[in-house]
Amino acid sequence: MLTPEQTVQEILDKRPWMVGISASAQDNITATFEVVGLLRKNGYMGHITIGGHFPTYEHEKILTHVPGIDSVVRGEGEITVVELAEYVKDGKPLDDVKGITFRNRFGEIVVNPDRPLVEDLDTLPLPHRDTIGILLEKNRRISMLASRGCYARCSFCSIQTFFNWRPRRVRKVEHVVREMLQLYKKYGVRKFKFVDDLFIDPSKKSRDWILSFCEKIKKAGMNDLNLWLQVRAVCVREDIFLALKEIGLKKIFLGLESGHADSLKRYQKDITPEQNVEAVRILKKVGIPEISIGMMPFEPEVSLEGMKENIEFLKKLGTFDIRDVTGKFKPYSGTSLTEKLLAEGRIKRKNWYDLGDYDFTDPRVGQLYHMVMSYFGHAKPSLKHIYQMDYRMRKIEGRVMQPGLNSEESEYKESYLALRRDIERFIQDHGEMMLQLVEGTIEAIESGMTPSMEQEWMRKSEKKFHQAEQLTIPLFERISVLESQLGLVKKEPHSLHVAEVKVLLNQNSKSLE
């Protein structure tokens, strides 16, 4: 990942007459503003435009407070940004470009009419895959898009407002399969990640689309795929996921959010905790190898009793990691829950673009969250090791999970699969460790947490997660052995090797003494 300074230098070296920045994540908007400021400071005089979810909702504020930005592309940008570029290049006034907000030559902010959404997604040109080689070298999944939008009305999500509450739009099956086949044949792509807001909806039409998609994938001869997609729990049906597993579905992200019925109502999920559990049960029965869930147990109105229900819910699922125990609703711009909290004066922000925070209605939940975040801080070193192991394991996977391996390579594959299972077990144990800490902390708060008790829990957390770090050493050693056997001994950026892990752990041990 480039630093803001490196990004600016690359732009200045290419000397473009227009710079477009995609800035959907509100969490990282400060880095975007930093890049813009550095560009102007270093003499860049071209047009700078910005787009994405956050800029769409805060377009006027951005142009008011960030003088280096000339325009904001609102909503879908494919058609708008091309038209904007043509107008800028020709030096024409921007008043007729639909879907933008801009600063005119008098310094006034002008909000042009919205641009209608693209009715037929298949009319858009295919993405320019100029960075695909870098992604394939790192054994990353290649992004695909089969649809836009979502039928649901979740209060924590901004998808509906971004698309003006339009129905979900879906590409034709033939076009999606054809694009995949081109990537399959031209670049050897096998791992695809569908970045749709929602890959399946509950309708019969959507079910028929999925079954047709699976049949056409098989007819195209793509019989060694590795697919990733995300869905809502209410959309999980056994027949659909059996068909998807047959064509290579390996990983699924399931947005569950909470195991507490009242929280689900406030989130407007239109689902029950029992339905969430049933969805995970079906996916396990079908045999989907990786089930990743999204959880936000901490929300403004949740009670301590509600948090206890979340703990029991995660135990029942048996599928979670540390982030699912610590997840919290974030007040992103464009969501109805954020608007509600703003109207109530509950969101505290340092500045207009800050994500902000809020107090929980139940102060005991606030105390719990404060302690959980301290535990999370103790867990960060071992979490970092998990990410580093995952990075290196992806490189190994790219070598040993190919068809047509010889006998020696097949042995490496078995070693890889055994190591992958042990790493997954460690990740699960890591999450359960946090779950136990949170459960015990809730009981302590209910009985009247004293400052000395709080310090004792902090020491207990620090000790537990330090022990977890120690358990990563043999896993790193096994990764290093496999890398050596496969000729992958070149040190990759951002990856720790065994000697470095031991040094780091020794340093941490001294800090605990």
Side-chain angles (χ1 to χ4, degrees), residues 393 400-401 410-424 478 482:
M393 287 291 280
V400 302
M401 297 302 287
S410 295
E411 289 182 16
Y412 297 151
K413 177 180 177 180
E414 292 305 314
S415 297
Y416 162 80
L417 291 173
L419 178 54
R420 171 59 72 187
R421 286 192 293 270
D422 289 345
I423 291 174
E424 288 172 356
R478 289 166 64 187
L482 260 178

Side-chain angles (χ1 to χ4, degrees), residues 2 25 65 108 136 158 179 206 225 267 289 335 377 455 496 501:
L2 298 178
H65 296 285
E108 301 166 331
L136 291 175
S158 63
E179 183 182 353
S206 181
L225 297 181
Y267 281 149
T335 74
Q455 288 303 312
L496 286 182
V501 173

Side-chain angles (χ1 to χ4, degrees), residues 145-190:
L145 185 76
S147 66
R148 280 182 182 167
C150 180
Y151 74 92
R153 60 187 190 102
C154 302
S155 64
F156 57 84
C157 181
S158 63
I159 289 170
Q160 288 284 27
T161 51
F162 187 77
F163 292 124
N164 296 321
W165 292 90
R166 285 288 306 278
R168 181 168 169 260
R169 291 160 293 155
V170 185
R171 294 176 63 191
K172 294 182 180 65
V173 174
E174 295 79 6
H175 288 255
V176 175
V177 174
R178 187 184 307 145
E179 183 182 353
M180 292 175 69
L181 188 59
Q182 287 175 357
L183 295 169
Y184 185 94
K185 289 182 174 180
K186 184 175 181 179
Y187 299 105
V189 176
R190 298 296 184 268

Side-chain angles (χ1 to χ4, degrees), residues 72-76 80 96-101 112-116:
V72 175
V73 173
R74 308 190 311 269
E76 289 183 338
T80 302
D96 295 331
V97 182
K98 290 182 179 179
I100 69 166
T101 302
N112 286 356
D114 290 341
R115 182 177 296 278

Side-chain angles (χ1 to χ4, degrees), residues 207-235:
R207 176 183 178 275
D208 292 343
W209 190 100
I210 293 294
L211 296 178
S212 175
F213 171 73
C214 293
E215 282 303 311
K216 285 180 169 55
I217 287 289
K218 286 188 282 189
K219 286 181 180 178
M222 292 185 280
N223 55 10
D224 53 349
L225 297 181
N226 183 320
L227 305 180
W228 181 103
L229 53 88
Q230 57 185 9
V231 299
R232 286 168 54 88
V234 74
C235 302

